[in-house]
Amino acid sequence: MTHIAKPKFSHPNLPKNGLGLTRRNYEGVVSTLCAGCGHDSVSAAIIEACYELEIPAHKIAKISGIGCSSKTTNYFLNRAHGFNSVHGRMPSVATGANLANGELTYLGVSGDGDTASIGLGQFSHAVRRRLNMVYIVENNGTYGLTKGQFSATNDKRSKNRKGVENQFDSIDLCSLAIELGAGFVARSFSGDKAQLVPLIKAGMSYHGFALIDVISPCVTFNNHTSSTKSYDYLRAHNQVMDRLDIVASRPEISADYEPGTAIDVTLHDGSQINLHKLSSEYDPTDADTALSNLNRYKRQGTVVTGVLYLDPDEVDLHDVMNSSKQPLNSLGQSELCPGADALEALNAQYR
Amino acid sequence: MKPTDIGDPAYFHKVVDCQWACPAHTPVPEYIRLIALGRYTDAFMINWESNVFPGILGRTCDRPCEPACRRTRVEQKPVAICRLKRVAADNRGDISDRLPVIPKKKNGKRIALIGGGPASLTVARDLLPLGYECVLFEKDRQAGGLMRTNIPSFRLPVAVLDDEVERVLDMGVAPRFGEEVTSLKAVLDEGFDAVFIGTGAPRGKDLDIVGRAEASKNIHLGIDFLTSVAFKHTESIGKRVVVIGGGNTAMDCCRTAIRLGGEDVRVTVRSPRSDMKASDWEIEDAEREGIPILDNHSPKEFLVENGELKAVVFERMRAEYDETGRRSLIPSGEPPVVVECDDVLMAIGQNNAFPWIERDIGLEFDESGMPIVDSQTFQSTLPTVFFGGDAAWGPENIIWAVAHGHQAAISIDLHCKGEALTERPSPLTNLVSQKMGIHEWSYDNDVSNDHRFAVPHADQLESLKSLTVEVELGYDQQLAYDEAMRCLNCDIQTVFKGSLCIECDACMDICPVDCINFTENGEETQLRAQLRVPAENLDQDLYVSENLTTGRVMVKDEDVCLHCGLCAERCPTSAWDMQKFTFWDGTVMKGPERVGAD
């Protein structure tokens, strides 16, 4: 672990976003993870995404569980709201926070253990309730904090450092999320920021539940030659399905793409996603083809990345429940206590 | 771009901005670290080997290193390199056992050194340990040259000067002081194996305007005035003094004048204040002593009544710059300014003068009256005669004279051995990892956020009364430590080994100044533009790796790298390492004569 604080000096020509902030203003403390951990790249991608989206940090709530991945919320956005919760219970805390204040952007950071093992139940319900959040899984297929046991996302027949084979089937979080009704499901690789940063931006702008499963190599326990979650394996077996531009309110110069391969999706906040498919036989807005696509590549040992499934018309938990769009902490006396007549009317509904 | 050749000594040398900018290439970060450790004697010896006069230069150097300091590009003010050098000199212990041993048996070669300034003394210092006999001709009774005559004692105490000059003389210089050389031919006829001319630029420029001749009693050339004060021939001056000129000599003149009793001392300069030749800190020192500077004032006439100087008349000027940035000074049309005064000090530049060199002995001069001197070997067209210091190409400063002296010593040694002068000794370089543990380095990589610390000054009421009270007190050890910690250790290089890199981005993500990139290769201009922060400082190189696994390259912009080592700390495969780059200029000193290096 690095013992010194990151020097406060920054490049004098470091660009500023519309808020007058540089990307360094979105940093947290220096990471205590192993040198070269994929999770640090994901933190850097989150910093870049928030900087580019020009979101002030205090409009973001970062919530995590337990694990190497869940520690990382301390390494970015040190001006944001944060809750480092109980193991596997990040979705409950995010749900409560979201219901109390729907105006914040909810950024959940979890790992394969926190999500696919102890937190699988919580994860499933956050998905099916369409919680408006971006849920990032930093997926390295191993339990790094407890010295490298196989996790539930580790591929069957993948080996550990000592050469022992994993005998169990892996849980594919993306397939699961599509099954359970998530509206935005993507997979990426920590070593490909060109893909990851726009995905995070799109996920944060998306209205509804957005899952980004980021394969993030564990340099200490799962980056060896027989691993299917190593830097080298990912570089050799990464099937990129599409590239994505996210257009906020600013005008964008768009490149020319083959006709018929681009899908434009306008999000609730007015920003637009341009999805450029790299394969013509695949439609990410159709859940069935998305699932069969995932299964097909998985059988080949190929990791598909990009936006795997996208429902442009997602509704979120607040929409379903018709709950207060206004943050509860800003409700006034008259709204909180509408008087005896209102109570009478309410009670009358149940008689 | 092609992969950077870090085997080329110039590549990493250039990254050490201060050392690269120093004419003598003093290993600055190395001695600053030693000062932080309290190893003042070691720090002094590194300086002494490289620049011969640490105590003198620590007070008076023109410090080309400081504007070059990386700190100016990431913070604001450079590390006070010059004043830290003084700390090493002020706090050093006994060094007598560290000086080179002078061989009892001489090598039979006799060298004449003409002029007792820093250039000649450097030649003597370098050649005496090799067994040369060095005869030093100096017209004054003491050696030191302009360091003695033109730098006032309130900036450079005589004791410091004597100590460092005598250290060289004590190595066995044969003095011929008080003997002004009036004929080079006569010196050559004494049969020296080589002659080094380090006679400086001793003639102050004059101004031929109305009233100059009539008022000559009260108009003094700046450097002559300073010499006269140094030798105590001048001990007073009129109450109202006008100094004409905007260089460092003008600053020394005005500050000397108020110490001699001048009450209304003003500096006048033709150009705008921002174009003045004097170093910023010397202007600040003069202004701190309450001396006004009238800029855009061009002297037109000396007003004389009854043979007495009454005033100087100035025309007001205005600077105009053409599109290439070339300046022209044109009269502004404002009414002339009359400044009443008793004395005028003229410090508008210096010229070389070689009336004592015969023009028929094979030593050629150019049209402007300067000797023709080879810029690498310092040899004149007469093979036994070498030039250095201000005598070679006109006025510079002490550190350049020292650098010239080292090069001339190399040439004289080669000449005396009958070897080709172009076969210069190569620099001594080394590159060693500083890794002590997973995240431990042999240097302090925690970057200090402190701003430059001011050097304490003596009480002004006291110092303005005396020519000898040193104005600057120098840093104490605590201040020196704090200032030393501001050094970014630019000699601790970021060395990248592409074959080990797994492209995890960790170094790029942690770099506080965004200087590390993984990108497609391209032509330099294109590459500079496509970096995370475009590399717009073309003086600073790009460090480009070989092709990595993904076909990309690592490109590091050296411009604002803090040398904090975080890239190496966050690298899982040690593709990055922090390695100390040592660079010593090629020198005649070898093996046991080398004293500074660890």
Side-chain angles (χ1 to χ4, degrees):
Chain A
M1 156 189 152
T2 292
H3 304 306
I4 65 168
K6 188 164 171 173
K8 71 166 198 174
F9 296 129
S10 60
H11 197 297
N13 298 337
L14 198 58
K16 290 186 169 138
N17 65 13
L19 301 174
L21 300 173
T22 68
R23 59 169 96 93
R24 291 215 52 195
N25 296 119
Y26 289 85
E27 287 179 348
V29 303
V30 172
S31 168
T32 58
L33 297 173
C34 308
C37 180
H39 298 1
D40 286 333
S41 280
V42 180
S43 296
I46 292 171
I47 288 169
E48 189 68 33
C50 294
Y51 159 79
E52 288 179 14
L53 283 175
E54 304 185 348
I55 308 179
H58 69 276
K59 290 291 187 191
I60 297 174
K62 45 181 190 177
I63 301 172
S64 61
I66 294 294
C68 294
S69 54
S70 294
K71 290 172 72 178
T72 65
T73 47
N74 198 22
Y75 311 145
F76 55 83
L77 298 175
N78 62 356
R79 301 270 173 159
H81 304 276
F83 199 120
N84 191 181
S85 76
V86 186
H87 204 358
R89 270 61 183 168
M90 179 265 276
S92 307
V93 177
T95 306
N98 192 321
L99 285 174
N101 185 349
E103 282 191 346
L104 300 180
T105 299
Y106 288 90
L107 176 62
V109 177
S110 181
D112 37 322
D114 199 56
T115 297
S117 291
I118 192 170
L120 191 61
Q122 296 243 333
F123 170 73
S124 305
H125 290 283
V127 177
R128 62 178 278 277
R129 283 172 179 160
R130 292 155 160 67
L131 192 61
N132 185 8
M133 71 180 297
V134 54
Y135 190 118
I136 296 176
V137 180
E138 296 177 350
N139 185 352
N140 55 19
T142 190
Y143 295 148
L145 277 186
T146 54
K147 304 284 186 279
Q149 298 83 358
F150 294 124
S151 83
T153 62
N154 196 285
D155 293 310
K156 192 174 181 181
R157 283 188 295 278
S158 160
K159 289 177 183 161
N160 72 5
R161 285 200 303 177
K162 301 261 167 79
V164 178
E165 240 179 47
N166 178 19
Q167 302 296 329
F168 300 106
D169 280 299
S170 65
I171 293 174
D172 188 309
L173 291 169
C174 290
S175 301
L176 187 61
I178 296 170
E179 292 266 12
L180 294 171
F184 180 106
V185 177
R187 176 168 285 148
S188 189
F189 166 41
S190 68
D192 185 2
K193 284 210 191 65
Q195 181 190 52
L196 181 55
V197 172
L199 282 180
I200 295 174
K201 286 165 69 179
M204 292 180 80
S205 307
Y206 184 74
H207 182 72
F209 189 89
L211 172 72
I212 306 174
D213 179 29
V214 187
I215 312 299
S216 170
C218 171
V219 283
T220 302
F221 294 108
N222 204 9
N223 194 39
H224 44 88
T225 46
S226 48
S227 160
T228 57
K229 291 203 165 32
S230 67
Y231 283 105
D232 286 346
Y233 187 90
L234 263 290
R235 293 220 162 91
H237 299 86
N238 185 352
Q239 175 69 46
V240 179
M241 299 306 292
D242 42 53
R243 286 284 176 188
L244 172 145
D245 293 332
I246 168 109
V247 191
S249 42
R250 287 171 296 177
E252 174 95 347
I253 305 150
S254 53
D256 282 332
Y257 289 92
E258 293 287 316
T261 62
I263 301 171
D264 293 345
V265 179
T266 306
L267 301 179
H268 282 221
D269 66 354
S271 56
Q272 211 171 36
I273 290 179
N274 308 127
L275 201 57
H276 309 290
K277 294 192 294 170
L278 301 182
S279 159
S280 56
E281 64 216 65
Y282 148 74
D283 177 7
T285 60
D286 180 71
D288 291 340
T289 53
L291 279 171
S292 65
N293 188 56
L294 264 168
N295 286 331
R296 186 160 53 87
Y297 280 110
K298 187 178 175 184
R299 277 195 301 275
Q300 297 169 6
T302 300
V303 183
V304 286
T305 61
V307 176
L308 306 176
Y309 174 66
L310 179 63
D311 175 4
D313 303 314
E314 176 83 324
V315 288
D316 88 326
L317 182 58
H318 280 285
D319 300 328
V320 174
M321 291 178 38
N322 195 25
S323 49
S324 172
K325 294 274 191 291
Q326 199 181 341
L328 302 187
N329 62 10
S330 68
L331 293 177
Q333 181 71 23
S334 59
E335 291 133 335
L336 288 171
C337 190
D341 292 348
L343 180 63
E344 191 55 40
L346 184 68
N347 284 336
Q349 286 179 10
Y350 299 107
R351 288 202 178 99
Chain B
M1 286 178 75
K2 289 205 181 94
T4 302
D5 176 16
I6 59 167
D8 176 359
Y11 183 75
F12 281 143
H13 186 196
K14 203 175 161 193
V15 174
V16 195
D17 296 287
C18 46
Q19 189 179 11
W20 178 259
C22 176
H25 302 317
T26 302
V28 175
E30 178 72 5
Y31 80 72
I32 288 183
R33 278 191 298 274
L34 291 171
I35 289 169
L37 290 170
R39 289 170 58 185
Y40 305 111
T41 312
D42 295 327
F44 178 86
M45 289 312 293
I46 284 183
N47 272 288
W48 186 77
E49 174 170 354
S50 170
N51 55 49
V52 191
F53 307 107
I56 296 170
L57 288 165
R59 292 167 166 84
T60 63
C61 188
D62 201 46
R63 18 173 153 157
C65 51
E66 291 193 16
C69 175
R70 184 174 300 264
R71 197 96 189 173
T72 61
R73 304 199 292 275
V74 291
E75 190 214 325
Q76 206 176 8
K77 289 196 169 172
V79 175
I81 300 169
C82 182
R83 283 356 183 206
L84 286 172
K85 189 194 305 289
R86 173 180 167 173
V87 170
D90 286 355
N91 293 279
R92 69 171 171 81
D94 179 36
I95 56 162
S96 48
D97 61 340
R98 298 189 182 210
L99 296 176
V101 178
I102 307 300
K104 294 255 180 337
K105 188 174 179 316
K106 302 296 170 193
N107 68 1
K109 303 287 184 188
R110 291 172 70 237
I111 313 297
L113 308 168
I114 304 178
S120 292
L121 291 169
T122 301
V123 176
R125 202 286 305 259
D126 284 2
L127 292 182
L128 286 165
L130 304 180
Y132 285 90
E133 188 187 331
C134 293
V135 179
L136 183 61
F137 294 83
E138 166 58 51
K139 69 175 171 6
D140 293 326
R141 304 216 156 267
Q142 285 170 295
L146 71 82
M147 302 190 294
R148 187 177 299 283
T149 59
N150 279 5
I151 300 179
S153 304
F154 55 85
R155 287 215 292 133
L156 174 61
V158 175
V160 175
L161 175 69
D162 285 346
D163 176 58
E164 298 201 332
V165 168
E166 279 162 18
R167 183 164 302 115
V168 178
L169 299 180
D170 289 348
M171 290 169 78
V173 171
R176 281 171 63 174
F177 293 170
E179 181 176 337
E180 182 160 8
V181 175
T182 52
S183 161
L184 177 58
K185 192 165 180 304
V187 175
L188 291 168
D189 286 346
E190 291 189 37
F192 287 103
D193 293 286
V195 175
F196 176 79
I197 296 174
T199 49
R203 186 173 287 175
K205 284 188 188 165
D206 206 341
L207 199 59
D208 187 20
I209 55 174
V210 176
R212 171 69 182 90
E214 293 87 329
S216 63
K217 181 162 66 79
N218 294 95
I219 299 176
H220 319 278
L221 293 182
I223 55 168
D224 295 347
F225 164 75
L226 291 172
T227 306
S228 176
V229 173
F231 290 125
K232 300 195 169 61
H233 301 146
T234 295
E235 291 184 320
S236 67
I237 197 164
K239 296 263 179 263
R240 298 168 305 170
V241 180
V242 167
V243 177
I244 297 175
N248 287 338
T249 304
M251 299 303 116
D252 284 339
C253 283
C254 66
R255 295 177 69 195
T256 300
I258 50 172
R259 284 166 172 79
L260 287 178
E263 286 170 6
D264 174 12
V265 179
R266 299 168 195 222
V267 172
T268 64
V269 51
R270 291 177 70 218
S271 65
R273 155 86 200 240
S274 53
D275 289 359
M276 281 172 66
K277 286 214 177 90
S279 311
D280 289 341
W281 50 90
E282 301 214 9
I283 299 173
E284 280 167 27
D285 286 341
E287 290 190 322
R288 195 180 293 119
E289 296 181 352
I291 299 165
I293 292 171
L294 310 177
D295 65 349
N296 296 316
H297 279 57
S298 175
K300 275 284 140 228
E301 183 183 350
F302 295 109
L303 284 184
V304 184
E305 272 176 32
N306 305 326
E308 291 289 319
L309 174 70
K310 287 291 166 205
V312 190
V313 183
F314 292 94
E315 184 172 35
R316 299 295 303 272
M317 307 301 279
R318 179 161 58 85
E320 276 193 6
Y321 301 86
D322 66 15
E323 58 275 12
T324 64
R326 262 244 310 263
R327 188 194 73 187
S328 49
L329 287 176
I330 53 171
S332 72
E334 294 161 89
V337 177
V338 179
V339 181
E340 296 186 359
C341 62
D342 304 312
D343 280 296
V344 167
L345 299 174
M346 200 111 73
I348 54 172
Q350 284 159 250
N351 281 330
N352 292 75
F354 302 101
W356 53 279
I357 299 180
E358 292 81 356
R359 303 299 147 119
D360 59 354
I361 55 173
L363 202 160
E364 288 174 34
F365 286 79
D366 63 16
E367 309 87 63
S368 62
M370 290 297 285
I372 293 169
V373 179
D374 185 279
S375 62
Q376 188 197 17
T377 64
F378 294 75
Q379 192 176 36
S380 72
T381 55
L382 187 59
T384 49
V385 179
F386 298 82
F387 282 79
D390 290 358
W393 293 288
E396 278 283 358
N397 44 61
I398 304 170
I399 190 66
W400 276 105
V402 171
H404 291 179
H406 287 315
Q407 292 305 317
I410 291 170
S411 294
I412 291 170
D413 184 42
L414 292 168
H415 174 75
C416 291
K417 291 193 287 200
E419 292 172 16
L421 267 52
T422 46
E423 296 296 311
R424 319 291 291 175
S426 52
L428 184 88
T429 63
N430 204 1
L431 194 61
V432 181
S433 176
Q434 301 297 294
K435 205 172 175 71
M436 305 286 279
I438 292 177
H439 299 114
E440 301 283 350
W441 306 98
S442 69
Y443 73 109
D444 189 329
N445 62 330
D446 197 359
V447 172
S448 159
N449 292 326
D450 287 331
H451 295 303
R452 182 176 169 123
F453 291 89
V455 176
H457 281 212
D459 177 43
Q460 200 175 71
L461 286 175
E462 293 304 314
S463 62
L464 286 186
K465 280 185 212 155
S466 162
L467 280 170
T468 53
V469 171
E470 189 174 13
V471 173
E472 286 195 14
L473 300 176
Y475 287 132
D476 61 25
Q477 294 188 358
Q478 181 60 46
L479 276 172
Y481 173 81
D482 292 337
E483 184 63 27
M485 294 313 287
R486 295 182 67 238
C487 175
L488 294 172
N489 300 290
C490 300
D491 61 338
I492 313 289
Q493 305 284 351
T494 55
V495 179
F496 183 73
K497 202 164 181 189
S499 58
L500 295 175
C501 178
I502 58 168
E503 297 174 71
C504 67
D505 286 356
C507 51
M508 181 178 91
D509 294 338
I510 194 70
C511 178
V513 285
D514 293 275
C515 62
I516 299 173
N517 301 263
F518 291 86
T519 179
E520 305 300 318
N521 205 342
E523 288 305 309
E524 179 166 356
T525 351
Q526 178 203 340
L527 210 46
R528 281 181 175 273
Q530 76 192 32
L531 300 187
R532 278 162 72 79
V533 181
E536 288 166 358
N537 185 351
L538 302 181
D539 293 336
Q540 294 284 324
D541 288 336
L542 298 183
Y543 182 1
V544 182
S545 76
E546 62 267 47
N547 280 350
L548 304 174
T549 315
T550 60
R552 298 180 298 173
V553 286
M554 186 291 300
V555 182
K556 181 192 164 212
D557 178 9
E558 297 284 8
D559 187 19
V560 291
C561 170
L562 300 172
H563 296 256
C564 63
L566 286 179
C567 48
E569 290 198 11
R570 300 305 298 164
C571 181
T573 60
S574 294
W576 285 106
D577 191 23
M578 302 306 292
Q579 301 188 1
K580 181 161 89 177
F581 176 72
T582 313
F583 180 96
W584 285 93
D585 251 338
T587 163
V588 290
M589 294 172 108
K590 291 177 199 75
E593 290 98 37
R594 294 199 77 97
V595 288
D598 278 294

